[in-house]
């Protein structure tokens, strides 16, 4: 089989730094191979002998690997996102209730042979909800989940602050960890560097962050989605050309790859591969430093969005595989509604807004991640801004380096990067809280959370979260998304498809994801 490739969604210097559900970036080598791109330079390794399937992946596969190594009480289908019983025996019958009781699967074991217990569940959720820890998962749980209590050795109870049916889908983000392993001093730090002990269908056999991670089927797994491959090897190849080469031709070294460059789709199809895209929340966004004048002025931020020739970007950089953003949400999202402020290409309006703001002779340094398709989009942004008199300098750089600067609170003007909250789920409440909210990582980057408009926005978001009526909640969410669109502090330019390629002569059951990564829990050999 061939390798799979993909581009990172959120910067992957360490997803685990932000997650309460710890796992590891992974690679597959056994009978399955895949390749992926990543934010750091990495060397492709591994392989397996004749008939071995190989898989290459990037560090953005951290979450993808978690889904193969770990389990939540509930997990979700990678495409429909419908929840199903994983470590738990059933989905709660009444999702409107404020108490959800779960019984753990009989015979569930950790990869070291120890039994899974209620103590492990409580341990995991205590970390997720711990106010002293900075975790992305906490943003997804703390607003609606009060506590998790042990009922007996094999059952737990989740106590909700108010009815929140969408929480069932989010339980997949809290991958249950073994307390006897990760409660030890320093063990959580080891998890962020690759240590993985789960209860899922695959166990991690080896982890080499800059090259590959290997998986083996876990013989004692007795859950709903069993391993189809004896071994997997996920490899990381940053540059597009060697990734495409790895999955191409008669001597291809991998069976599946995500993040296929648009320019290579036809070539791979002619070579006999199945190549399909997934349209979702993936997007290039602009992040403004609102503490750096003149980007504190909403008119300047709006002007720079209006100035971008999005159709040119879609055709030149994305080969037609994208749509201009007409809301923060993509058009396929269940809560989507066209925003009141839509930044259609309008250079005249952009110039008028800059003049109204009293801004002339503006020079902008646009920092950007060096993800290949983002780099392809940058010339259109520069040409568009230069055309309205904004002298633009492009500074693409390693993803890790860029976000380290943001973490260190270094000054900047504008950042262009890729994001896809769909990796966490489809519900709009989750998606919007990913970028917006008090104490949120992205709000700290933007220096906007203390703004009066931001404070009002956060209040509206909280009210929508707690609204029990589904239609009213949808309307409230759409209304606050209008505020997000109007202020354009962190806002998408275009939403684009992500492309996956695989050898359908070897693999069946592959469904291309509209977010980075692959999921082979329902795949099998042809």
């Amino acid at each position: 089989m061939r390798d799979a490739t993909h581009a990172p969604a959120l910067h992957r210097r360490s997803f685990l730094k932000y997650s309460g559900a710890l796992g590891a970036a992974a690679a597959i080598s056994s009978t399955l191979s895949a390749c992926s791109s990543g934010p750091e330079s990495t060397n492709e390794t591994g392989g397996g002998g004749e008939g071995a399937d190989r898989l290459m992946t990037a560090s953005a596969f951290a979450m993808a690997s978690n889904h193969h190594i770990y389990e939540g009480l509930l997990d979700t289908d990678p495409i429909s996102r419908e929840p199903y019983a994983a470590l738990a025996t059933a989905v709660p019958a009444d999702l409107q209730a404020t108490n959800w009781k779960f019984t753990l699967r009989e015979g569930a074991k950790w990869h070291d042979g120890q039994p899974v217990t209620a103590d492990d569940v409580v341990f995991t959720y205590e970390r997720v909800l711990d106010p002293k820890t900075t975790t992305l998962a906490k943003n997804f749980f703390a607003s609606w989940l009060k506590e998790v209590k042990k009922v007996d050795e094999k059952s737990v109870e989740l106590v909700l602050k108010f009815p929140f049916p969408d929480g069932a889908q989010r339980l997949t983000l809290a991958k249950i960890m073994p307390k006897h392993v990760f409660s030890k001093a320093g063990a959580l730090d080891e998890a962020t560097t690759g240590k993985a002990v789960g209860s899922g269908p695959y166990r991690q056999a080896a982890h080499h962050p800059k090259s590959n991670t290997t998986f083996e089927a876990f013989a004692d797994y007795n859950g709903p989605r069993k391993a189809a491959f004896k071994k997997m090897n996920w490899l990381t190849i940053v540059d597009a050309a060697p990734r495409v080469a790895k999955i191409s031709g008669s001597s291809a070294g991998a069976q599946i790859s995500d993040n296929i460059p648009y320019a290579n789709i036809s070539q791979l199809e002619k070579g006999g591969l199945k190549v399909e895209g997934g349209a979702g929340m993936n997007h290039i966004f602009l992040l403004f430093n609102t503490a750096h004048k003149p980007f504190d002025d909403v008119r300047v931020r709006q002007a720079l969005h209006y100035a971008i020739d999005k159709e040119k970007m879609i055709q030149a950089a994305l080969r037609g595989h994208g749509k201009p953003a007409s809301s923060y949400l993509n058009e396929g999202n269940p809560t989507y509604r066209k925003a009141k402020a839509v930044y259609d290409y309008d250079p005249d309006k952009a110039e008028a807004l800059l003049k109204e703001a009293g801004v002339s002779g503006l020079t902008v340094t646009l920092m950007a991640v060096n993800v290949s398709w983002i780099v392809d989009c940058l010339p259109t942004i520069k040409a568009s801004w230069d055309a309205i008199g904004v002298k633009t300098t492009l500074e693409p750089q390693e993803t890790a380096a860029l976000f380290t600067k943001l973490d260190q609170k270094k000054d900047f003007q504008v950042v262009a990067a890729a994001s896809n909250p769909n990796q966490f789920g489809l519900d709009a409440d989750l998606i919007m809280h990913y970028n917006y909210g008090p104490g949120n990582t992205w709000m700290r980057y933007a220096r906007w959370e203390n703004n009066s408009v931001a404070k009002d926005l956060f209040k509206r978001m909280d009210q929508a979260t707690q609204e029990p009526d589904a239609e009213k909640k949808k309307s409230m969410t759409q209304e606050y998304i209008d505020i997000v669109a109007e202020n354009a502090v962190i806002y998408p330019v275009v939403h684009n498809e992500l492309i996956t390629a695989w050898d359908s002569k070897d693999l069946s059951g592959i469904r291309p994801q509209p977010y980075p990564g692959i999921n082979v829990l329902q795949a099998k050999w042809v």
Side-chain angles (χ1 to χ4, degrees):
M1 269 180 119
R2 282 163 244 156
D3 300 303
T5 69
H6 93 137
L10 102 128
H11 52 92
R12 302 293 184 181
R13 61 201 190 285
S14 177
F15 166 76
L16 299 178
K17 178 179 177 183
Y18 297 101
S19 172
L22 299 177
I28 303 176
S29 165
S30 153
T31 350
L32 176 67
S33 271
C35 56
S36 169
S37 68
E40 300 180 359
S41 267
T42 54
N43 295 320
E44 177 258 322
T45 69
E50 185 177 0
D53 308 324
R54 300 175 286 268
L55 175 70
M56 298 174 156
T57 170
S59 58
F61 267 62
M63 287 189 68
S65 69
N66 285 347
H67 290 312
H68 295 77
I69 295 172
Y70 288 90
E71 298 176 280
L73 289 170
L74 305 180
D75 281 326
T76 59
D77 181 87
I79 305 301
S80 72
R81 312 312 279 265
E82 284 297 312
Y84 64 88
L87 263 178
T89 56
V91 177
D94 182 8
L95 293 179
Q96 290 286 352
T98 54
N99 293 74
W100 294 345
K101 184 176 178 180
F102 294 97
T103 299
L104 299 181
R105 187 176 70 237
E106 190 65 33
K109 292 182 180 180
W110 297 111
H111 294 160
D112 63 4
Q114 295 296 311
V116 178
T117 70
D119 290 327
D120 299 315
V121 179
V122 173
F123 166 75
T124 299
Y125 277 95
E126 284 182 344
R127 171 166 169 74
V128 169
L129 298 173
D130 186 352
K132 297 190 295 295
T133 62
T134 301
T135 67
L136 182 60
K138 184 167 62 179
N139 291 333
F140 299 153
F141 287 90
S143 65
W144 58 274
L145 182 59
K146 182 179 180 180
E147 63 177 325
V148 176
K149 300 189 295 186
K150 175 180 177 180
V151 176
D152 55 42
E153 287 301 313
K154 286 295 182 179
S155 60
V156 297
E157 182 179 30
L158 273 62
V159 182
L160 281 60
K161 296 177 181 178
F162 46 83
F164 192 69
D166 288 339
Q169 296 180 22
R170 299 193 190 184
L171 297 189
T172 190
L173 299 174
K175 298 301 187 189
I176 306 305
M177 303 179 295
K179 181 179 180 179
H180 69 277
V181 174
F182 291 110
S183 63
K184 296 178 181 177
L188 289 173
D189 290 333
E190 291 178 15
T192 64
T193 57
K195 184 173 184 175
V197 181
S199 62
Y202 291 95
R203 57 174 289 272
Q204 182 175 286
H207 177 59
H208 308 287
K210 293 189 176 182
S211 58
N212 72 309
T213 303
T214 59
F215 302 79
E216 295 177 352
F218 179 43
D220 288 337
Y221 176 75
N222 65 350
R225 300 198 172 181
K226 294 179 172 55
F229 313 107
K230 291 182 179 179
K231 294 181 181 179
M232 301 193 293
N233 186 36
W234 290 11
L235 307 172
T236 302
I237 300 179
V238 175
D239 296 329
R243 279 204 321 276
V244 171
K246 193 68 179 179
I247 198 173
S248 306
S250 58
S251 60
Q255 293 110 339
I256 183 170
S257 170
D258 78 330
N259 194 32
I260 295 296
Y262 304 113
N264 296 110
I265 293 174
S266 178
Q267 166 203 340
L268 294 177
E269 288 178 332
K270 289 177 181 177
L273 294 180
K274 186 78 169 177
V275 185
E276 291 186 3
M281 267 295 292
N282 208 70
H283 59 273
I284 177 174
F285 66 88
L286 296 181
L287 161 68
F288 290 93
N289 179 356
T290 62
H292 189 125
K293 291 184 177 297
F295 308 108
D296 59 330
D297 192 318
V298 64
R299 293 168 296 187
V300 175
R301 302 193 297 267
Q302 291 177 340
L304 293 180
H305 271 280
Y306 277 119
I308 298 173
D309 189 341
K310 299 167 188 66
E311 289 296 342
K312 179 180 178 182
M313 176 185 289
I314 290 167
Q315 296 307 316
L318 308 179
R319 306 296 178 99
H321 294 275
K323 290 185 177 182
S326 56
S327 168
Y328 193 93
L329 302 175
N330 63 296
E331 292 182 13
N333 187 280
T335 307
Y336 169 84
R337 183 190 71 187
K338 188 174 182 179
K340 289 182 178 178
V342 177
Y343 298 101
D344 295 325
Y345 177 48
D346 193 339
D348 292 338
K349 188 167 186 175
E351 290 181 315
L353 283 166
L354 290 177
K355 184 177 180 180
E356 183 182 322
V359 173
S360 61
L362 179 61
T363 62
V364 173
T365 298
L366 178 63
M367 296 167 60
V369 298
N370 65 345
V371 177
S372 58
W373 68 269
I374 294 288
V375 172
D376 291 342
C377 289
L378 297 180
T380 299
I381 298 177
K382 174 176 169 54
S384 297
W385 288 356
D386 286 348
I388 63 166
V390 176
K391 185 177 180 182
T392 308
T393 301
L394 301 177
E395 284 191 1
Q397 55 199 277
E398 293 288 341
T399 303
L402 190 156
F403 282 98
T404 295
K405 292 174 184 175
L406 296 184
D407 286 337
Q408 294 174 347
K409 301 181 180 179
K410 297 288 182 66
D411 188 36
F412 73 96
Q413 293 179 299
V414 191
V415 164
S419 183
N420 194 333
N422 279 170
Q423 62 192 315
F424 308 115
L426 289 179
D427 74 271
D429 181 275
L430 179 153
I431 289 169
M432 299 312 299
H433 279 87
Y434 171 64
N435 279 128
Y436 286 86
N440 180 288
T441 298
W442 297 100
M443 287 291 91
R444 290 199 301 273
Y445 292 162
R447 280 81 153 171
W448 194 61
E449 64 182 337
N450 291 322
N451 183 285
S452 60
V453 176
K455 291 180 178 179
D456 177 65
L457 170 66
F458 302 156
K459 184 178 179 180
R460 289 170 179 262
M461 293 174 73
D462 288 342
Q463 291 170 343
T465 297
Q466 298 179 42
E467 174 54 51
D469 181 86
E471 283 305 310
K472 188 173 182 181
K473 177 176 182 174
K474 182 176 180 179
S475 178
M476 293 169 69
T477 302
Q478 291 169 337
E479 288 174 6
Y480 78 63
I481 289 175
D482 284 339
I483 297 173
V484 169
E486 180 184 358
N487 285 274
V489 173
I490 303 171
Y491 204 71
V493 178
V494 298
H495 290 109
N496 64 302
E497 286 185 278
L498 291 178
I499 309 298
T500 301
W502 69 95
D503 189 342
S504 59
K505 297 187 298 293
D506 287 337
L507 284 177
S508 67
I510 298 296
R511 294 177 294 166
Q513 296 181 170
Y515 51 95
I518 62 168
N519 186 303
V520 296
L521 293 179
Q522 292 179 296
K524 59 183 179 180
W525 293 117
V526 174

